[in-house]
């Protein structure tokens, strides 16, 4: 919250986190306020905010901040970005 004050004041909400320790983390964020870019708020100008978080992790671990979507197909597409032309053909929740 110190690095991203918008999370502290709940303008930006961390919706989901998935982490494979030492490899990659995906953090899905949304905004409770129109006009606020939740991903940009977490990354910061020139990556300044995310660098504070990355410095606490192993040097080879990656962190992706993605836009959360209530629509599961859109959420998957967001999580797979920057891949392009992603289409969800069938979605079965188990």
């Amino acid at each position: 919250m110190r690095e991203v004050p918008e999370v502290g004041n709940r303008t930006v909400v961390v919706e989901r986190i998935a982490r494979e320790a030492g490899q990659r983390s995906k953090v899905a964020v949304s905004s409770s306020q129109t006009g606020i870019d939740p991903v940009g708020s977490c990354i910061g100008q020139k990556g300044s905010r995310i660098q504070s978080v990355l410095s606490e992790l192993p040097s080879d671990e990656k962190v992706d901040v993605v836009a959360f979507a209530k629509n599961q197909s859109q959420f998957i597409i967001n999580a797979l970005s920057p891949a392009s032309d992603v289409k969800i053909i069938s979605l079965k929740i188990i």
Side-chain angles (χ1 to χ4, degrees):
M1 292 193 293
R2 183 180 54 194
E3 287 79 11
V4 185
E6 293 86 349
V7 172
N9 67 24
R10 296 189 174 112
T11 305
V12 172
V13 178
V14 176
E15 298 281 355
R16 306 278 191 277
I17 298 175
R19 181 169 185 242
E20 186 177 350
Q23 299 294 317
R24 178 174 302 276
S25 296
K26 295 267 186 181
V27 180
V29 294
S30 67
S31 177
S32 61
Q33 186 175 332
T34 305
I36 300 293
D37 174 15
V39 175
S41 294
C42 292
I43 301 293
Q45 195 170 34
K46 296 184 181 180
S48 60
R49 291 180 170 185
I50 196 73
Q51 287 303 318
S52 300
V53 175
L54 292 173
S55 68
E56 300 293 324
L57 298 171
S59 63
D60 56 342
E61 185 165 337
K62 307 291 185 232
V63 175
D64 297 333
V65 181
V66 300
F68 177 76
K70 289 182 181 179
N71 177 290
Q72 291 179 345
S73 295
Q74 185 59 51
F75 182 44
I76 292 168
I77 290 169
N78 294 351
L80 293 174
S81 73
S84 58
D85 298 328
V86 175
K87 294 179 184 171
I88 306 299
I89 296 172
S90 175
L91 185 61
K92 181 178 180 183
I93 306 300
I94 55 172

